[in-house]
Amino acid sequence: MQRFEQPEQWEYLSELRKRVDELLRGGRHRTALDEVLNHLRHDPESTDALFLALMILSQSRTELLESSEPPTNAQRISALLAPIKTECSSCHLGWYSIHALLSANDRASLTVFSPAGLQCQNCRYTLCRNCLRRPQSYTVPVDMPEIVSGFCPSPGCTEQLTTPVLPTGRHDVTPMDPDGIEGVVVARDGFILPTMDEALVVVTKFLPLIADDAPLIHIRRSTPGMMSDESTRDELAQSFVLKLEREGVMAPGAWARSRRMFILAGAASDTDYLITVVRKGEQHASPADPRRGTHMATYTYLLQILANNGVWSIIRDPHSGNLIEGSLGAVAAPEEMLPDIAQEIIKRFDSISLKRRVVFFEGDRTKQKLTTEDVYGVFIEGSEIVAPYSDDPA
């Protein structure tokens, strides 16, 4: 999700502001934040709603704890609030910085002593206090404030890390239209089923959903060891989705419309979750979105890497000579889903440091020779679209 960029002027949500103000004066921060989240669920890019959320969450810790309804942890980590979060570029520690409120419309110039973090004003590279690694100064009195600064470690950047520290967004949230989600399958490692409340905490952290979306969630039982590697996780997720298809809960072809997320929630094995998101098919298309409802087609995908000689190549097992498992396959999906499918394929091979791309061929050609005449398009790592085919390295 894109980070929050505060415009010079924006349209105020007078009714929402009135309700939030009344709730905050009564110390009901939790309900006030629920009001904002409910609005963001239907308008995730609302500047005023994001500004109100930041205003609530950036209040002092004492004020929040002493309120009659302090915000919950599930609210604080909601994916809907990802655009206003500030995240350390090194360790990914996140917090809500008050600097965006103080510098609204350039009304204030900030010089912060003992800041929670520092940020490059050019590229927005951010380091939290723990990652700054500032050596202890022994040349000044202990009660004298020191201004912290340093050079931006981002390659090619020569600016300094200073304040203000503005929102950067979160790295682990993927934009997704909540109205385009048919269902979310949740399984936790181990024998014990998670409760709906536990599932909601994990789901809403990574997907732009709220508690009212609980009917979309399908909780399923796993067994220890089934989430130990990617292949068993895929098998487990596929078995859940196919069973829901057979039961008539999901529309046909749900597995081709699914996206898997493995969540390492903690050190203990029973805190790991497998989340499978299934997008709506054409029969569930929303009339408000003309991109949905397009024809389902079959595409063959092929992962390629940019070799050191500058040529796009396929990756093969050095011993058998066969294609690496998972780098070639066929999917049945709408055209607009191809970028998401390509991203998932590329993520499977994160251990490969070379540049990657996915080539889509029309039809199921997993058992036939692939030729450039059959290529539908190419997805380059870091892109957002499937572009016309090209042999160029960039």
Side-chain angles (χ1 to χ4, degrees):
M1 300 179 75
Q2 291 186 345
R3 70 191 185 196
F4 174 65
E5 296 287 357
Q6 186 170 283
E8 291 186 3
Q9 294 181 343
W10 67 89
E11 183 179 354
Y12 289 166
L13 303 171
S14 56
E15 290 299 321
L16 180 61
R17 280 182 168 251
K18 181 180 179 181
R19 292 197 302 272
V20 168
D21 183 61
E22 291 175 352
L23 291 166
L24 291 181
R25 281 192 273 114
R28 302 178 62 189
H29 292 75
R30 184 187 313 149
T31 304
L33 196 51
D34 270 339
E35 290 278 349
V36 176
L37 289 172
N38 286 336
H39 185 91
L40 288 171
R41 164 64 171 76
H42 302 286
D43 186 9
E45 296 182 0
S46 170
T47 297
D48 206 37
L50 288 170
F51 189 87
L52 288 172
L54 187 59
M55 182 181 69
I56 297 171
L57 291 168
S58 59
Q59 293 184 0
S60 71
R61 188 169 183 267
T62 300
E63 185 175 4
L64 293 177
L65 290 175
E66 291 180 350
S67 70
S68 57
E69 289 183 6
T72 65
N73 183 58
Q75 289 177 316
R76 297 184 67 88
I77 62 176
S78 170
L80 290 164
L81 302 181
I84 59 172
K85 195 140 193 179
T86 300
E87 187 177 74
C88 177
S89 301
S90 177
C91 70
H92 297 308
L93 174 72
W95 70 97
Y96 294 101
S97 173
I98 196 175
H99 295 182
L101 303 179
L102 296 177
S103 59
N105 299 329
D106 296 324
R107 286 195 296 264
S109 177
L110 298 178
T111 302
V112 181
F113 296 93
S114 188
L118 294 177
Q119 189 174 79
C120 175
Q121 305 304 303
N122 179 43
C123 67
R124 210 169 283 197
Y125 187 97
T126 306
L127 288 180
C128 68
R129 180 182 296 161
N130 295 332
C131 292
L132 284 169
R133 298 191 182 129
R134 182 169 63 96
Q136 178 66 44
S137 173
Y138 298 99
T139 59
V140 297
V142 294
D143 58 347
M144 179 179 292
E146 297 179 73
I147 300 177
V148 184
S149 64
F151 286 101
C152 176
S154 182
C157 188
T158 59
E159 300 295 321
Q160 280 203 326
L161 297 178
T162 58
T163 55
V165 179
L166 303 175
T168 61
R170 275 172 44 193
H171 77 287
D172 54 358
V173 175
T174 302
M176 187 174 293
D177 180 3
D179 291 327
I181 297 176
E182 182 178 351
V184 183
V185 186
V186 179
R188 182 168 60 189
D189 197 15
F191 292 111
I192 302 175
L193 280 169
T195 65
M196 180 56 74
D197 287 342
E198 291 171 332
L200 275 169
V201 171
V202 181
V203 168
T204 57
K205 180 178 180 180
F206 299 98
L207 296 173
L209 300 175
I210 58 177
D212 291 346
D213 293 307
L216 294 175
I217 297 177
H218 306 276
I219 298 175
R220 292 296 181 266
R221 191 185 305 278
S222 178
T223 55
M226 286 300 292
M227 299 185 191
S228 58
D229 58 64
E230 186 174 337
S231 62
T232 57
R233 291 195 291 269
D234 273 354
E235 291 175 7
L236 183 63
Q238 187 175 29
S239 68
F240 291 148
V241 173
L242 293 179
K243 187 175 181 181
L244 288 168
E245 266 192 64
R246 290 193 298 269
E247 294 171 351
V249 178
M250 297 284 186
W255 179 243
R257 305 191 304 274
S258 67
R259 175 189 179 92
R260 275 81 66 205
M261 295 186 293
F262 181 53
I263 311 302
L264 288 166
S269 60
D270 61 354
T271 55
D272 297 340
Y273 284 82
L274 180 64
I275 299 177
T276 307
V277 189
V278 180
R279 296 177 185 266
K280 289 180 179 177
E282 57 180 304
Q283 63 268 50
H284 291 92
S286 170
D289 189 346
R291 295 173 302 172
R292 296 202 186 93
T294 56
H295 177 65
M296 292 280 288
T298 300
Y299 301 92
T300 297
Y301 64 81
L302 176 66
L303 179 78
Q304 295 181 334
I305 59 172
L306 185 61
N308 292 329
N309 62 0
V311 177
W312 285 106
S313 308
I314 57 178
I315 47 178
R316 296 184 180 274
D317 186 290
H319 303 291
S320 66
N322 297 327
L323 287 169
I324 295 295
E325 184 179 358
S327 64
L328 172 68
V331 294
E335 177 185 350
E336 69 269 13
M337 278 192 60
L338 294 183
D340 290 335
I341 293 172
Q343 286 178 350
E344 286 299 311
I345 296 167
I346 287 175
K347 284 181 180 178
R348 296 177 193 170
F349 298 89
D350 278 342
S351 59
I352 299 176
S353 58
L354 297 172
K355 193 176 183 66
R356 291 154 288 175
R357 76 177 186 181
V358 175
V359 181
F360 286 101
F361 299 80
E362 292 183 311
D364 186 352
R365 303 180 181 275
T366 55
K367 297 182 180 180
Q368 302 175 30
K369 184 178 180 180
L370 303 172
T371 67
T372 55
E373 295 179 358
D374 302 314
V375 172
Y376 173 80
V378 181
F379 180 91
I380 303 291
E381 180 182 10
S383 178
E384 295 181 353
I385 60 171
V386 174
Y389 175 78
S390 172
D391 281 322
D392 295 337

